[in-house]
Amino acid sequence: MPEPATEPSATKSEPSDEAIAALLNSGGKKKKPDPDAPSPRLPEALYYYLFILVEALLVMGVWGFMRRGPLAVMKGPSLDAPVSEQVLFHLKSIVGGVGDLFASQPWLPLGVLLLAGVVFVPATPRKRRRMASLVSTVIVAVFVLLIALQFSQDMALISDPGAY
């Protein structure tokens, strides 16, 4: 005897095609944040700010140490010295150069601190990244120019036999 056809129960409903597609598309993937949407400034901008300051301290330290003259550089370890001794000498000279700048021209490091602060102004991550790149490039370019000028001055002093 054939069984009568049963109707689907009202309590058990199947999801629609749109609901299935939405579930498949979401798939646990997190959407990337929109780089043009406003976002919290502090974490990202603070990262850029600290990166710019470390970068600026390095180039300021090199320039500050070079201002001591060529004889200060000649007191360093030889090329045959262990690498750890050479790295330690360079780190000490960078820290000493920054110290010299803070003592002789305190407005210069303070100006770098203020200039690097503009990375907190943009509201979107993309603009913050561009601002950080711009500020970093300007600071490094200025100090690389000063290093090059100091190097050319030191070379002129060394080539003059009566200088030292």
Side-chain angles (χ1 to χ4, degrees):
M1 185 163 157
E3 292 189 23
T6 59
E7 295 182 16
S9 78
T11 60
K12 189 176 183 184
S13 67
E14 295 180 14
S16 67
D17 290 340
E18 293 83 21
I20 292 173
L23 287 173
L24 288 175
N25 287 338
S26 68
K29 294 180 185 176
K30 294 182 180 179
K31 293 182 179 181
K32 290 184 180 177
D34 182 18
D36 294 323
S39 66
R41 287 186 172 107
L42 187 61
E44 186 181 24
L46 185 62
Y47 166 75
Y48 288 134
Y49 183 73
L50 293 176
F51 179 76
I52 291 169
L53 290 184
V54 168
E55 192 175 52
L57 281 174
L58 288 174
V59 290
M60 279 193 303
V62 170
W63 181 58
F65 182 70
M66 285 183 72
R67 290 178 40 183
R68 292 181 182 175
L71 293 180
V73 176
M74 299 304 287
K75 293 178 185 176
S78 68
L79 293 176
D80 299 333
V83 174
S84 60
E85 189 176 318
Q86 293 179 11
V87 169
L88 187 62
F89 170 76
H90 286 88
L91 289 176
K92 284 181 181 178
S93 63
I94 287 172
V95 170
V98 170
D100 288 350
L101 278 181
F102 270 109
S104 65
Q105 297 171 331
W107 55 269
L108 196 59
L110 293 176
V112 168
L113 286 173
L114 290 175
L115 180 62
V118 299
V119 296
F120 290 100
V121 174
T124 64
R126 178 174 289 164
K127 289 181 181 176
R128 263 192 296 274
R129 185 175 55 240
R130 286 181 184 166
M131 182 65 74
S133 296
L134 178 69
V135 169
S136 174
T137 302
V138 166
I139 290 172
V140 169
V142 165
F143 282 104
V144 166
L145 178 66
L146 291 172
I147 289 169
L149 290 173
Q150 188 67 43
F151 181 76
S152 66
Q153 181 183 6
D154 290 347
M155 291 306 288
L157 285 175
I158 288 177
S159 65
D160 183 17
Y164 286 102

